[in-house]
Amino acid sequence: MRALILSDVHANMQALAAVLSAAPAHDIVWNLGDVVGYGASPNEAIVCVRELNSVYVRGNHDRACCGLTSLDEFNPIARAAAEWTQAQLSQSKRAWLSALPQGPVTVGDGLVCVHGSAVDEDVYVVSVPDAVDALQAASGAWIEFFGHTHVQGGFVRTDDGWYVVQPEYSSAADSEYYDLPLRPGIRYLLNPGSVGQPRDGDWRAAFAVYDDEASTLRFFRVPYDLERAQKKILSAGLPERLASRLAVGQ
Ligand code: ZN
């Protein structure tokens, strides 16, 4: 069984299209949330992910953009983008977003999907102490797949302690992948990275594929039509920073 793992698409249709055309054959999609927010193609991104055979967890932007939670905790740029998105979404898209399940969602034996963490859907797992809490809250999970930070990689707990997973790539231009072997007895917190707004210094769209026969998680980075995504953001009147940050992956 192969699962394509997508997170933080953020209404970037150009990145999503590149990911779907580069993705190897798979049986199911696990979508870790934040389909919308920031980017200029919220309706198109929802139509596209709805066509995939997916298990979903909702993200904080999904909640905010359909009106389930207030925008008070958003910074001014995120808030402006969420207000713009609310105005764009059709009634049926809003209803679809508001019905997305809250994580953790179990997707297989010992496999759990969350947006932020099993502690709370809005928590950012950025350090080993965060990871300790996140795995503790997902008792019985061998692998907890998470998003929200927009940083590809994660954390591993072995008998000797914890270490950080950071995929290594040789360029920042071509399509590349990095394999992480998955071993029994070790526990994992793994983030496929963000499809539509990477923040790990690599502008390329990020995703991952879980393969239970090979027992690997394959991380991918793929180039996409960045200029077009930026132009759409600017011509929509969204904050300029949302276009410029895509070029540097921050
Ligand atoms: Zn996000």
Side-chain angles (χ1 to χ4, degrees), residues 8 10 34 150:
D8 297 282
H10 281 294
D34 280 358
H150 301 207

Side-chain angles (χ1 to χ4, degrees), residues 8-95:
D8 297 282
V9 170
H10 281 294
N12 184 337
M13 203 47 223
Q14 287 66 44
L16 180 58
V19 163
L20 294 177
S21 78
H26 51 272
D27 306 294
I28 194 164
V29 176
W30 298 338
N31 190 314
L32 308 183
D34 280 358
V35 175
V36 298
Y38 296 136
S41 306
N43 286 303
E44 298 93 317
I46 289 173
V47 167
C48 185
V49 300
R50 279 175 76 167
E51 284 172 4
L52 308 171
N53 173 27
S54 300
V55 175
Y56 299 94
V57 295
R58 69 184 186 187
N60 52 319
H61 288 259
D62 299 324
R63 273 192 349 256
C65 292
C66 69
L68 271 185
T69 45
S70 88
L71 306 179
D72 292 348
E73 282 173 23
F74 275 20
N75 67 49
I77 288 178
R79 189 191 178 111
E83 283 168 350
W84 178 87
T85 304
Q86 285 177 343
Q88 303 300 310
L89 288 174
S90 65
Q91 182 55 43
S92 68
K93 309 285 192 312
R94 260 200 301 278

Side-chain angles (χ1 to χ4, degrees), residues 86-193:
Q86 285 177 343
Q88 303 300 310
L89 288 174
S90 65
Q91 182 55 43
S92 68
K93 309 285 192 312
R94 260 200 301 278
W96 183 81
L97 284 174
S98 61
L100 291 176
Q102 177 179 355
V105 169
T106 299
V107 289
D109 196 15
L111 306 174
V112 164
C113 289
V114 299
H115 183 62
S117 151
V119 173
D120 185 283
E121 59 186 327
D122 292 349
V123 158
Y124 288 91
V125 176
V126 293
S127 65
V128 168
D130 301 334
V132 171
D133 293 343
L135 262 193
Q136 204 159 34
S139 60
W142 174 44
I143 309 175
E144 183 176 337
F145 295 105
F146 72 104
H148 196 38
T149 62
H150 301 207
V151 174
Q152 190 178 59
F155 303 88
V156 177
R157 198 200 74 187
T158 70
D159 286 343
D160 303 330
W162 286 80
Y163 70 92
V164 174
V165 176
Q166 202 172 6
E168 286 164 26
Y169 298 111
S170 56
S171 82
D174 301 324
S175 292
E176 287 183 87
Y177 65 82
Y178 174 89
D179 280 335
L180 177 73
L182 302 169
R183 303 201 165 92
I186 292 175
R187 294 181 77 198
Y188 299 88
L189 256 165
L190 298 172
N191 189 329

